[in-house]
């Protein structure tokens, strides 16, 4: 039988649980994840001959290591390797929600975006060319109104297409973070590549970006499994030093700013409040 494991990933309150309940047909209350013990709800359903296994992961703004929720989501993606991540994005809060999306893009995994709260965009008469954004990032974007069960069938159909590698718009995109950061990524990647056992499982680009952010989880991971860890550390330290000198900022901030720079640029091209309508209202 055909099983598709789908993990729901997104900011808190973007509608993950609502989507999970609609998609799985269960209306079970899902507790909050604010405690130390992080838990994830799981449900099965069938659609067009496929069995979907849904995981409702805790809400996170970022995939870093600053909370149990972030670590849980991160480890779930890298260890359990779901077939597809559904990145639930709150359409009324695009800039902040898309930050997490940039991290999923770095991870080089299969992602479909559920552009949830689409009713909020419609209400405000906002023009958002989400299809164009989807082509830009190589990720299919499906509008949903989870609270009304709208868009769920379209999302399920898209998940099958992506699972079967049938969607021509899916491609692996590297967000271009600019010459200096890209050069630093390349240098670190060159060292990571010497460990095929690692890069089989995790994107070397993602690991390099994480090292540039001075992410301890990644460094510990590589220390445990890379033979050339001393060289990786040296190259990383040198790259960080060079970037921080150039930008006068902490390297994590430099990466964060670059990600927001990408998001701002992408939204400038695709997102616009209806100007005509705005004038009318004045
Ligand atoms: P989670 O934290 O991501 O699991 O978000 P929830 O599923 O708990 O949803 C947060 C709130 O948003 C709830 O009050 C939902 O009813 C509401 N909600 C979910 N989806 C939509 C939507 O598409 N449109 C609107 N307007 N509200 C929604
Ligand atoms: K919630
Ligand atoms: Mg929830």
């Amino acid at each position: 039988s055909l099983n598709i494991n789908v993990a729901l990933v997104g900011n808190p309150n973007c509608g993950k649980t609502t989507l999970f309940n609609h998609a799985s047909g269960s209306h079970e209350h899902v507790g909050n994840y604010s405690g130390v013990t992080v838990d994830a709800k799981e449900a099965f359903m069938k659609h067009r001959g496929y069995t979907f296994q849904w995981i409702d992961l805790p809400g996170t703004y970022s995939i870093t290591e600053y909370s149990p929720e972030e670590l849980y989501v991160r480890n779930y993606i890298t260890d359990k390797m779901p077939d597809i991540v559904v990145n639930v994005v709150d359409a009324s809060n695009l800039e902040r929600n898309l930050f997490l999306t940039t991290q999923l893009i770095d991870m080089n995994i299969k992602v479909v975006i559920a552009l949830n709260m689409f009713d909020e965009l419609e209400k405000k008469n906002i023009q958002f060319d989400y299809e164009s954004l989807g082509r830009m990032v190589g990720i299919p974007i499906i509008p949903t109104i989870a609270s009304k069960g709208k868009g769920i069938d379209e999302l399920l159909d898209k998940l099958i297409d992506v699972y079967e590698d049938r969607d021509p718009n899916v491609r692996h995109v590297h967000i271009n973070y600019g010459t200096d950061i890209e050069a630093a990524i390349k240098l670190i990647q060159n060292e990571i590549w010497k460990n095929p056992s690692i890069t089989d499982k995790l994107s070397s680009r993602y690991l390099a970006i994480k090292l540039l952010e001075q992410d301890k989880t990644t460094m510990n991971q590589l220390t445990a499994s890379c033979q050339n860890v001393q060289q990786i550390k040296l190259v990383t330290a040198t790259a960080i030093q060079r970037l921080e000198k150039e930008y006068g900022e902490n390297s994590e901030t430099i990466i964060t700013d670059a990600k927001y720079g990408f998001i701002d640029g992408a939204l400038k091209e695709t997102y616009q409040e209806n100007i005509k309508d705005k004038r009318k209202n004045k």
Side-chain angles (χ1 to χ4, degrees):
S1 70
L2 293 155
N3 273 297
I4 309 182
N5 300 320
V6 182
L8 291 167
V9 172
N11 289 10
N13 292 314
C14 65
K16 288 180 302 301
T17 300
T18 311
L19 188 64
F20 171 85
N21 288 340
H22 267 279
S24 63
S26 89
H27 294 274
E28 193 176 3
H29 177 74
V30 176
N32 68 46
Y33 296 101
S34 57
V36 179
T37 320
V38 170
D39 196 17
K41 279 272 177 196
E42 194 178 84
F44 295 85
M45 55 88 73
K46 278 187 196 283
H47 180 78
R48 296 195 198 283
Y50 290 81
T51 302
F52 284 77
Q53 180 190 9
W54 291 87
I55 315 288
D56 184 22
L57 291 174
T60 49
Y61 294 106
S62 175
I63 299 177
T64 38
E65 53 186 354
Y66 300 124
S67 71
E69 288 79 8
E70 289 184 3
L71 277 171
Y72 189 93
V73 170
R74 173 178 183 166
N75 290 336
Y76 191 91
I77 294 173
T78 56
D79 299 346
K80 300 272 168 63
M81 297 198 278
D83 295 313
I84 309 178
V85 164
V86 169
N87 178 203
V88 184
V89 164
D90 175 353
S92 68
N93 213 329
L94 281 170
E95 194 186 32
R96 195 182 60 184
N97 277 253
L98 288 173
F99 184 77
L100 181 60
T101 310
T102 66
Q103 294 177 319
L104 295 171
I105 291 170
D106 293 340
M107 293 177 102
N108 187 16
I109 50 176
K110 279 186 178 173
V111 179
V112 172
I113 291 177
L115 185 63
N116 197 40
M117 314 263 182
F118 199 70
D119 49 334
E120 298 291 332
L121 279 194
E122 290 173 326
K123 235 187 271 169
K124 289 179 195 150
N125 213 351
I126 285 165
Q127 292 182 348
F128 177 37
D129 186 358
Y130 60 85
E131 287 178 329
S132 167
L133 178 70
R135 283 192 296 272
M136 212 182 285
V137 293
I139 297 176
I141 302 183
I142 307 295
T144 58
I145 306 173
S147 51
K148 291 183 181 155
K150 283 193 182 172
I152 309 283
D153 275 351
E154 290 82 352
L155 179 65
L156 293 171
D157 288 347
K158 186 56 78 181
L159 289 173
I160 294 172
D161 281 351
V162 170
Y163 177 77
E164 298 289 2
D165 293 317
R166 281 201 296 247
D167 190 306
N169 288 323
V170 172
R171 59 198 177 95
H172 183 227
V173 170
H174 288 175
I175 295 176
N176 187 337
Y177 293 119
T179 318
D180 299 332
I181 297 175
E182 290 300 327
I185 292 171
K186 255 277 134 46
L187 284 174
I188 300 172
Q189 255 182 319
N190 283 336
E191 292 304 321
I192 297 174
W193 274 328
K194 294 173 184 166
N195 304 271
S197 62
I198 300 284
T199 48
D200 259 7
K201 222 180 136 195
L202 292 165
S203 141
S204 61
R205 183 175 170 84
Y206 164 73
L207 293 170
I209 292 167
K210 281 290 163 203
L211 289 182
L212 277 178
E213 290 174 350
Q214 303 178 52
D215 179 82
K216 291 190 182 65
T217 304
T218 301
M219 192 46 98
N220 291 338
Q221 205 172 6
L222 296 186
T223 300
S225 43
C226 292
Q227 305 215 315
N228 61 339
V229 66
Q230 287 315 321
Q231 192 59 23
I232 292 175
K233 279 185 179 165
L234 186 69
V235 169
T236 300
T238 310
I240 288 173
Q241 210 173 33
R242 208 177 289 162
L243 276 181
E244 291 188 340
K245 198 177 162 206
E246 182 88 17
Y247 288 73
E249 297 255 35
N250 169 282
S251 67
E252 191 179 3
T253 307
I254 297 169
I255 303 281
T256 301
D257 288 352
K259 285 175 175 292
Y260 277 112
F262 169 78
I263 294 166
D264 289 347
L267 289 180
K268 259 193 199 106
E269 283 182 41
T270 55
Y271 181 94
Q272 140 176 77
E273 289 179 19
N274 195 325
I275 296 161
K276 223 173 168 184
D277 217 70
K278 236 188 189 170
R279 285 210 194 103
K280 224 190 292 168
N281 290 341
K282 272 185 184 166

